Amino acid sequence: MTIVLGITGGIACGKTTVVTYLNQQGIPVIDGDVIARKVVEKGQVGLTQLVTAFGPTILTKEGKLDRAHLGSLVFADQTKREQMNQILGPIIRKAILAAIDQYKKQRVPLVLVDIPLLYEHHYEQYMTKVLVVSVSPATQLTRLMKRNGYSQAEALARIESQWPLSKKIEKADILVDNEGSIYDTHRQLDQILANLQQFDDKTL
């Protein structure tokens, strides 16, 4: 069987660090962000539908999506954010599920599905297990402000647009505490991989 491991966590909690390390161990990754970017490229139906909903001001002079402008619109307005998700959600979901099916057909032992809003958009139903990457709220806020150059208010708005991290932690099958050193995180991941191998052996 193919173990489909969903990976999520709060923004700026270090999910990319986790995914990068696991990918370096030879595990393939389906990246939800990459897929989300592809469906709004110039000429794609996702971009066309966004322009219909939000107007041509979300486009650059070259006719590409102005991500910063769209972001300022949807993060300041929950209704608009929900409208954007209703447009892009089904398109992204179809592409992610197609990628999962492809790996299952290839009988890949383990595939990672990296989705920042995994629980918010109910992807857990497609996963064998879900891993959540966590840090303390204070660390999350500090890292996001430093990483993106946000003010405290801007960072809090991004954090609050997602489920509370505590809620994701409660639902997680597997938890990685990314508060410590990179060595600590890698050690946790090595143990998780060993446990998943045992899980797979028991299901065969």
Side-chain angles (χ1 to χ4, degrees), residues 52-134:
T52 300
F54 299 107
T57 60
I58 65 168
L59 296 176
T60 65
K61 293 179 180 179
E62 294 77 26
K64 297 180 180 179
L65 179 63
D66 185 337
R67 297 181 180 279
H69 181 59
L70 178 63
S72 67
L73 289 177
V74 301
F75 281 110
D77 187 322
Q78 183 176 349
T79 300
K80 289 181 179 179
R81 186 165 66 249
E82 290 174 353
Q83 186 179 9
M84 179 189 71
N85 290 335
Q86 287 172 359
I87 291 170
L88 298 180
I91 301 171
I92 296 170
R93 186 179 301 266
K94 182 178 180 181
I96 289 174
L97 294 182
I100 290 173
D101 285 342
Q102 190 62 37
Y103 280 113
K104 286 182 175 179
K105 289 177 182 177
Q106 295 171 7
R107 299 184 181 277
V108 172
L110 173 63
V111 61
L112 311 178
V113 187
D114 177 0
I115 305 180
L117 301 181
L118 185 148
Y119 286 122
E120 289 89 336
H121 295 163
H122 308 293
Y123 276 94
E124 67 270 26
Q125 62 186 304
Y126 310 114
M127 308 299 153
T128 310
K129 289 184 178 293
V130 176
L131 181 154
V132 170
V133 185
S134 71

Side-chain angles (χ1 to χ4, degrees), residues 8-9 25 46 59 70-71 95 120 132 143 173 193:
T8 192
Q25 312 313 305
L59 296 176
L70 178 63
E120 289 89 336
V132 170
R143 286 183 181 176
D173 298 306
L193 288 179

